Amino acid sequence: MKIPSFLQPIFNLLTNPKKTRVVLILVLCCELILNFFIVQKVPYTEIDWEAYMDEVAGPLVHDEWDYTKLRGGTGPLVYPAGFVWLYGLLYKLTDSGLNIKRAQYIFIGFYMVFIFIVLNLYAIVIEQNSNNKDKVKGEKEQNNQNKSKNKSKNKNKNKNKNNKKQQNGKKQEKEQVKEKRSNVSSLLTKFEFQPWILLCLAFSRRIHSIFVLRLFNDPLAMLLFYFSVYLMIKNRWWVGCFVYSLAVSIKMNIFLFAPGLLLLMLKTHSFIKTIFLLAVCAITQVVLAIPFLLVNPLGYLNKSFELSRKFFYIWSVNWQFLPEDFFLSNAWSYGLLALQLGCYILFATKKWISHEKSYKNALNKGKVTAEHFIYILFTSNFIGIVFSRSLHYQFFVWYYHTIPYLLIKTKIHWVFQILILLAIEVVWNVYPPNAYASLALNLLHLIVLILLFLKPVPKPRSENTKKTN
């Protein structure tokens, strides 16, 4: 089946890597319209916003700087200091949190910045892959031309003419056969890095709800994280580490990227420079928390980085098939932690340095490709998601925008990749969470994780990559 002529321009736009930025702009325009429509037509749902406002009112209104005494309607404040400063600003901008509609419009702005950064990260990878393919294709064509020239010198002119006619005839036949099969094949059979992938980043119902209908802090932490990734890819590590630490100060889930980020630091920098980069992250946390550390340092550390916190079973999207007592047990928590650490070690030793063969060959070798950078970070986070003690609805934003990339790297048939992406979205929209949805989600996660382990890792460096420290 041949593509109808009136669809050909759309097909070319969505499959031509050189049109990536055009598709990016179109997606942004559609997203802006869609978000305004959602805010205007879909009712706001109160979940945590009022609790956030009560928590930040402690230091801003009541001059209370003891972190253990900061509370909201859902319980004590359990986020680091950056959360207080960010939502304190929103408290001021929204009339003490009472102007919900204004808050929603502000979150539309947050979402547009967020999706712009994410789309740009994918665009960088798409363009990088396209350039590499063009280079390889050019080299092959050059080699073929050189071979044909050498052969032509040793053959008779008449034979050459006949051979060329035969070769041209065969080429024309092959091209006709390919056209008859389908022009759509390049789009469907190769679920690879093409501009249409950008569309997959913008269709999630749950993600739009998390941003503009719930006003959670999770997407704001992820916004800062993706911006830090963009900066690091551009080799602006000092600022990138600062922004990364800001993201951690909004919510601790950003730590799930830390194992991969640490390895990338060591791959691209010396051990001493890595220590200084980590120091930037640590100093940022201290500076943000100074007012609270001066009043009750242990109280701040216990509450803002409370690793032993228990989650509500009723909101767990991923473990509803377990008995509640077992879900809340320390044995289950420690078991998941052991599996997570083991998986990190497995990927760090078998996958993330697979091209270099050993850590000795991998460390301090200079800048890596954008795709290698993103691959390590996204798989690091995904491992944490798979073995997470609990996933609540707003946690979907922790990894949704990494799924299209990870599915491409599994290299399974495009139909199964699309089905997995849709299935994950459907599961996250099941309300309330139930055992069947939880089982399905865990099965999908495990399938993707196993396939990622079995498939090759993007090369850390192209031939033109120079060592930069």
Side-chain angles (χ1 to χ4, degrees):
M1 183 180 70
K2 199 171 182 177
I3 296 176
S5 58
F6 69 93
L7 291 178
Q8 193 67 45
I10 298 175
F11 175 81
N12 293 337
L13 177 67
L14 295 178
T15 57
N16 185 356
K18 294 181 180 179
K19 302 292 184 180
T20 300
R21 300 292 169 174
V22 177
V23 177
L24 187 154
I25 293 171
L26 292 175
V27 171
L28 285 175
C29 292
C30 293
E31 283 282 35
L32 184 61
I33 296 170
L34 176 61
N35 277 281
F36 272 102
F37 176 83
I38 292 172
V39 169
Q40 289 295 325
K41 299 298 182 180
V42 183
Y44 162 79
T45 303
E46 171 53 41
I47 298 180
D48 282 343
W49 174 258
E50 291 182 2
Y52 292 167
M53 296 298 101
D54 291 340
E55 290 162 356
V56 300
L60 297 178
V61 179
H62 308 297
D63 198 31
E64 178 59 73
W65 299 95
D66 186 341
Y67 228 69
T68 61
K69 296 180 180 179
L70 302 181
R71 300 181 63 86
T74 57
L77 175 57
V78 292
Y79 308 121
F83 166 87
V84 176
W85 303 123
L86 177 57
Y87 274 83
L89 177 61
L90 292 173
Y91 181 90
K92 297 291 186 181
L93 294 174
T94 59
D95 303 329
S96 303
L98 299 176
N99 195 331
I100 301 297
K101 189 64 70 175
R102 185 184 298 167
Q104 288 182 282
Y105 286 130
I106 292 172
F107 268 76
I108 289 178
F110 285 142
Y111 180 82
M112 293 307 299
V113 175
F114 171 91
I115 198 65
F116 175 74
I117 294 170
V118 173
L119 290 171
N120 266 283
L121 289 175
Y122 272 79
I124 289 171
V125 175
I126 291 170
E127 291 166 349
Q128 189 179 83
N129 274 270
S130 175
N131 292 336
N132 290 338
K133 287 181 179 179
D134 289 343
K135 183 180 177 182
V136 172
K137 185 178 179 181
E139 290 176 351
K140 287 183 178 179
E141 289 177 353
Q142 185 64 40
N143 291 333
N144 291 334
Q145 288 177 2
N146 292 335
K147 289 179 180 178
S148 62
K149 287 179 181 179
N150 292 332
K151 288 180 179 179
S152 64
K153 292 179 181 179
N154 301 323
K155 291 183 178 180
N156 189 282
K157 290 182 180 180
N158 293 329
K159 288 183 178 180
N160 283 341
K161 289 180 181 180
N162 293 331
N163 288 337
K164 284 181 181 179
K165 288 180 180 180
Q166 291 176 359
Q167 288 175 1
N168 290 334
K170 289 180 180 179
K171 285 181 179 180
Q172 289 177 358
E173 289 177 4
K174 288 181 179 179
E175 288 175 358
Q176 290 174 358
V177 170
K178 287 181 179 179
E179 286 182 1
K180 288 179 180 179
R181 284 177 180 174
S182 176
N183 286 338
V184 188
S185 62
S186 63
L187 176 64
L188 297 184
T189 60
K190 296 181 179 179
F191 192 88
E192 58 186 17
F193 293 106
Q194 294 175 333
W196 65 273
I197 296 165
L198 302 183
L199 304 179
C200 299
L201 302 171
F203 86 93
S204 173
R205 173 182 176 272
R206 177 61 65 188
I207 294 299
H208 288 90
S209 173
I210 290 168
F211 264 95
V212 299
L213 297 179
R214 306 295 190 270
L215 313 181
F216 286 119
N217 64 327
D218 304 76
L220 304 188
M222 293 304 300
L223 186 161
L224 289 170
F225 166 74
Y226 284 122
F227 183 46
S228 73
V229 174
Y230 178 82
L231 290 169
M232 293 174 194
I233 286 175
K234 295 298 182 180
N235 214 31
R236 302 188 64 182
W237 276 88
W238 298 107
V239 183
C241 286
F242 168 70
V243 176
Y244 175 83
S245 191
L246 289 180
V248 173
S249 75
I250 306 298
K251 194 154 188 178
M252 280 201 310
N253 69 285
I254 306 301
F255 274 135
L256 296 179
F257 296 94
L261 181 58
L262 177 59
L263 178 59
L264 287 166
M265 286 181 179
L266 292 168
K267 275 192 170 194
T268 54
H269 303 98
S270 67
F271 181 76
I272 297 299
K273 188 170 182 179
T274 299
I275 295 297
F276 280 111
L277 290 172
L278 293 174
V280 170
C281 298
I283 292 170
T284 302
Q285 294 297 316
V286 173
V287 171
L288 290 169
I290 283 176
F292 307 105
L293 292 172
L294 292 174
V295 175
N296 185 352
L298 291 179
Y300 173 77
L301 293 174
N302 287 333
K303 284 299 179 183
S304 60
F305 297 98
E306 189 178 4
L307 299 176
S308 61
R309 182 161 64 100
K310 299 293 184 181
F311 293 94
F312 289 108
Y313 175 76
I314 190 174
W315 298 120
S316 177
V317 177
N318 57 331
W319 301 120
Q320 284 294 314
F321 57 89
L322 296 176
E324 184 172 0
D325 291 342
F326 184 68
F327 169 82
L328 296 171
S329 68
N330 289 331
W332 177 241
S333 297
Y334 292 140
L336 285 174
L337 179 60
L339 289 171
Q340 183 176 338
L341 293 175
C343 201
Y344 277 135
I345 293 171
L346 192 62
F347 267 75
T349 55
K350 300 296 184 181
K351 302 300 295 181
W352 295 343
I353 61 165
S354 58
H355 290 283
E356 297 94 342
K357 306 300 181 183
S358 70
Y359 278 100
K360 183 179 179 181
N361 296 328
L363 304 185
N364 191 23
K365 297 299 182 182
K367 186 177 180 180
V368 298
T369 62
E371 188 181 355
H372 187 76
F373 198 102
I374 288 173
Y375 175 89
I376 291 180
L377 286 179
F378 285 8
T379 52
S380 175
N381 179 63
F382 189 68
I383 290 168
I385 294 293
V386 172
F387 300 106
S388 176
R389 281 190 297 155
S390 186
L391 294 174
H392 296 181
Y393 285 110
Q394 63 268 34
F395 297 0
F396 191 33
V397 76
W398 292 6
Y399 78 114
Y400 169 74
H401 297 90
T402 71
I403 297 173
Y405 174 83
L406 295 176
L407 286 173
I408 291 170
K409 303 316 295 182
T410 64
K411 298 187 181 297
I412 57 176
H413 194 277
W414 68 272
V415 172
F416 296 109
Q417 294 184 22
I418 293 291
L419 288 175
I420 289 174
L421 180 64
L422 292 174
I424 291 175
E425 170 69 18
V426 169
V427 168
W428 277 95
N429 280 280
V430 173
Y431 180 85
N434 60 58
Y436 296 109
S438 293
L439 280 169
L441 183 62
N442 277 279
L443 179 61
L444 293 167
H445 283 172
L446 289 173
I447 289 173
V448 174
L449 186 64
I450 292 170
L451 288 171
L452 286 170
F453 185 76
L454 295 176
K455 299 301 179 179
V457 178
K459 292 182 179 180
R461 292 169 186 86
S462 62
E463 293 180 3
N464 295 328
T465 302
K466 295 181 180 179
K467 184 175 177 180
T468 55
N469 289 316

